[in-house]
Amino acid sequence: MRVTRVILAVLLATTLVGCEKLKELKESAEKAVEQVTNQVKQETDPVQQMLSAYAKGYNEVLNTFQDIVENYSRAIPLDKEPSAELGRVSFFGSGNYDMSLKTIKDAFDAAAEGPEKYKHLQSLAAELYSSCQELATIYGDARTYYSAEDFKDDDYARGRELHGQMRLAEVRFDKALRQMEAALSVEEDQQMEAELAEYPDKGTYGNQFRQAHFKAKQLLRVIDSAESDFAAIDKAVDEYIESFTALKAFADGKADLHVTFKAFVDQVEGFLGAVKRFRRELQADSADPDQLRREHDAIVSAYNTIISLRNALAELEGYGQL
């Protein structure tokens, strides 16, 4: 079963502007100097660069390699064995993941140049990358095997062999992904808290979109925690509703609300709607596991869009356009 996970916002918003763009954007000499100073600080911060590279690699893994397991299990359920009873087996995708693997390797290699304090992330990244390579190889071999209908010659012997390999590879990949996710999430939390400390004024866009993102992540953590019962989730949702009310009040109080911030608020409201549906289903006398999974997927999808818009707002902020 596919486990839907969240992408990371670790520094994906740090997009540096070129000299010509700065000339277009600066409204005064002082503002231009301030922008350049901030950009150079971001560009030369090795921790920022490292975390950004790790996030890029991790997000590429999410966007590509979770699909391999899902596509394979859709063709041949992992809890079954390959046989004629399955009928026609069709695999999605090209089976060539070289470009994605290169993107991941390049990102993780760049991140490896980071400070010594973060060297523990290298081994986690290496294991995750290796597990992706293994998945890609098995999936490609299976796709070739079934496309050529070689099972007609060996009565699914090679198919069963590949199936066993995929089961083990899926477990390995899931473990590596969880470990990398947990490690990067810790770093992301620290970065988010540091950013919030830099934007203490609740009357600013910078504080509001960062606060909304942080609150959404906290809520998602409660929802996903194995230790959370319904009471804990219910309380967390109510607290989040209060924070959204404050965000909405801020937006409603802006006569010239920025269009991207409006989209951000709308997306946060959509995230809250998905959370409410999940809570409602969770509270039902006979909760439907499939429906719960669909609602959870909707929550994560909405959260990932929040991150995308949050990054867009941070870019606009860096350009002096927010």
Side-chain angles (χ1 to χ4, degrees):
M1 180 185 72
R2 177 192 178 106
V3 179
T4 306
R5 291 192 173 88
V6 300
I7 63 176
L8 291 177
V10 182
L11 221 69
L12 297 183
T14 303
T15 303
L16 303 181
V17 296
C19 294
E20 292 302 318
K21 188 64 177 177
L22 277 175
K23 290 178 182 177
E24 295 173 10
L25 295 177
K26 64 183 181 180
E27 298 176 354
S28 67
E30 292 80 9
K31 185 173 182 179
V33 170
E34 181 181 359
Q35 283 183 308
V36 173
T37 299
N38 289 336
Q39 302 290 4
V40 170
K41 180 181 177 182
Q42 291 171 342
E43 185 178 26
T44 57
D45 186 337
V47 176
Q48 301 272 46
Q49 289 182 320
M50 177 201 67
L51 293 179
S52 180
Y54 274 129
K56 180 180 180 181
Y58 171 87
N59 288 338
E60 181 66 24
V61 171
L62 284 189
N63 292 333
T64 303
F65 287 89
Q66 279 201 122
D67 287 340
I68 288 184
V69 176
E70 184 176 12
N71 290 340
Y72 181 91
S73 60
R74 184 185 296 128
I76 310 173
L78 288 173
D79 60 348
K80 298 183 182 299
E81 291 291 335
S83 70
E85 295 178 1
L86 294 175
R88 182 174 178 79
V89 175
S90 299
F91 287 89
F92 294 88
S94 66
N96 188 335
Y97 296 94
D98 290 348
M99 288 302 297
S100 287
L101 285 169
K102 184 178 186 306
T103 297
I104 296 166
K105 186 177 187 304
D106 288 349
F108 287 167
D109 283 351
E113 301 299 320
E116 186 69 28
K117 175 184 177 182
Y118 300 94
K119 293 300 181 184
H120 65 286
L121 295 173
Q122 288 184 26
S123 60
L124 298 177
E127 171 61 11
L128 181 57
Y129 175 72
S130 179
S131 72
C132 288
Q133 286 182 302
E134 184 178 30
L135 280 179
T137 298
I138 297 170
Y139 188 79
D141 289 348
R143 189 175 184 278
T144 299
Y145 174 80
Y146 286 100
S147 294
E149 298 186 347
D150 288 342
F151 51 84
K152 293 181 178 179
D153 300 327
D154 66 0
D155 193 26
Y156 292 92
R158 175 61 173 158
R160 287 190 292 273
E161 180 184 353
L162 290 168
H163 199 61
Q165 292 175 5
M166 180 58 80
R167 282 173 172 163
L168 294 175
E170 189 276 334
V171 172
R172 179 192 180 195
F173 171 74
D174 185 68
K175 179 181 178 181
L177 189 61
R178 288 179 185 277
Q179 290 179 334
M180 193 69 184
E181 177 185 38
L184 288 179
S185 186
V186 169
E187 304 303 334
E188 184 184 50
D189 283 351
Q190 293 176 356
Q191 182 192 22
M192 291 169 74
E193 290 172 357
E195 283 191 11
L196 278 171
E198 293 180 10
Y199 295 86
D201 186 356
K202 294 184 179 180
T204 62
Y205 283 120
N207 173 276
Q208 287 292 325
F209 74 74
R210 288 179 173 86
Q211 192 73 248
H213 172 210
F214 188 58
K215 295 290 187 183
K217 182 176 182 180
Q218 287 181 315
L219 173 58
L220 193 55
R221 179 172 293 146
V222 173
I223 290 174
D224 284 347
S225 173
E227 299 177 1
S228 294
D229 55 14
F230 177 78
I233 294 174
D234 190 46
K235 178 183 178 184
V237 173
D238 285 341
E239 291 174 350
Y240 187 75
I241 290 174
E242 291 181 13
S243 70
F244 173 73
T245 300
L247 175 69
K248 192 72 164 57
F250 170 84
D252 291 343
K254 286 278 189 182
D256 55 345
L257 185 67
H258 194 286
V259 62
T260 306
F261 191 84
K262 181 182 184 305
F264 177 81
V265 174
D266 290 343
Q267 186 58 39
V268 172
E269 188 168 23
F271 170 78
L272 178 56
V275 166
K276 287 180 177 178
R277 293 194 302 273
F278 178 82
R279 178 173 66 171
R280 196 174 298 119
E281 183 63 31
L282 196 63
Q283 192 178 19
D285 292 335
S286 55
D288 180 355
D290 290 335
Q291 185 62 29
L292 276 174
R293 185 169 60 252
R294 285 192 292 271
E295 296 298 353
H296 184 270
D297 286 353
I299 291 172
V300 173
S301 177
Y303 176 79
N304 286 341
T305 305
I306 286 176
I307 289 180
S308 297
L309 288 168
R310 173 254 183 237
N311 288 341
L313 287 167
E315 275 195 36
L316 289 168
E317 183 182 63
Y319 292 155
Q321 295 181 331
L322 187 63

